[in-house]
Amino acid sequence: MLIGEEQLISRVKEIAEQINREYDGREIYLLCILKGSVYFTCELSKHITVPVKLGFMSVSSYGDRMTSSGAVVIDQDTDLHVKGKHVIVVEDIIDTGRTLCFLLRMLAKREPASLKLCTLLDKPSRRVSDVQVDYVGFEVPDTFVVGFGLDYAQKYRNLPYIGELVFKEEQ
Ligand code: IMP
Ligand code: MG
């Protein structure tokens, strides 16, 4: 275990409070990037007090199970019309940054009033593409993590904490 459930939830509350302060008097669109950000988006939105709409988008980036390649494809687009709206993209983890770099460029073309990025986890040591992250839950070391939405081959998303995946041959 790397980050426990209580620690996760209290940090998510802090981020929500920061968003509430910064967006006071405005409506926000939280754009959840499926599937990894579902748990984070739900927890975050519970503590948001400004008017909020939720959108979901599914993207896949071809690569192996452990890393992305940068060839990003939209599998399912959001039904929210973001033009003129204050959009916060909610991600589970930023690793190389390739997925987000593509996604933010694409969303910017839809002309939102503002576009910010919120990630639960950040692995800055692995960055290849430069992305500006506005809200970060925790920085994590260069290890493969699962839980609270994050998967390995679609498993372990339902763990209530963030764990480091240890492969058998490493034990
Ligand atoms: P990026 O394009 O390299 O930044 O990849 C971001 C995506 O890779 C995330 O949305 C995750 O789906 C996946 N990913 C990167 N690192 C991890 C990890 O440690 N655990 C689980 N998924 C990860
Ligand atoms: Mg993923």
Side-chain angles (χ1 to χ4, degrees):
M1 190 174 89
L2 215 59
I3 309 165
E5 190 173 7
E6 274 182 29
Q7 205 185 341
L8 280 168
I9 291 173
S10 77
R11 180 71 190 121
V12 174
K13 276 186 192 160
E14 284 175 4
I15 298 174
E17 283 158 13
Q18 192 183 344
I19 290 173
N20 291 335
R21 281 193 303 274
E22 292 180 7
Y23 288 87
D24 188 28
R26 288 182 284 174
E27 178 183 78
I28 56 172
Y29 280 20
L30 285 185
L31 189 54
C32 168
I33 309 305
L34 296 169
K35 304 173 188 168
S37 312
V38 164
Y39 291 71
F40 179 37
T41 305
C42 291
E43 192 55 43
L44 184 70
S45 62
K46 283 195 255 174
H47 308 286
I48 298 277
T49 51
V50 296
V52 59
K53 288 184 180 173
L54 299 183
F56 299 86
M57 194 171 205
S58 175
V59 298
S60 50
S61 101
Y62 290 99
D64 55 32
R65 281 173 173 179
M66 309 280 288
T67 185
S68 67
S69 67
V72 184
V73 175
I74 296 174
D75 297 320
Q76 190 193 313
D77 207 340
T78 174
D79 60 345
L80 291 182
H81 298 290
V82 303
K83 188 168 178 167
K85 306 296 180 186
H86 297 287
V87 178
I88 303 176
V89 173
V90 184
E91 249 295 26
D92 52 355
I93 187 164
I94 303 179
D95 186 33
T96 64
R98 286 175 176 136
T99 309
L100 261 296
C101 201
F102 167 88
L103 197 63
L104 292 176
R105 263 205 311 266
M106 194 215 65
L107 288 170
K109 288 187 193 144
R110 298 183 184 179
E111 301 173 6
S114 66
L115 182 60
K116 286 199 176 182
L117 175 57
C118 176
T119 186
L120 179 64
L121 305 176
D122 189 12
K123 265 193 221 174
S125 60
R126 299 251 312 158
R127 201 72 93 251
V128 173
S129 299
D130 194 27
V131 281
Q132 195 207 320
V133 194
D134 303 286
Y135 307 99
V136 179
F138 302 88
E139 278 193 9
V140 289
D142 183 11
T143 52
F144 200 82
V145 292
V146 292
F148 210 74
L150 288 110
D151 72 306
Y152 174 67
Q154 300 299 330
K155 283 189 291 192
Y156 312 116
R157 291 193 197 277
N158 58 322
L159 293 176
Y161 56 88
I162 298 288
E164 182 184 336
L165 195 67
V166 180
F167 293 91
K168 266 223 163 92
E169 57 271 27
E170 290 175 17
Q171 277 175 344

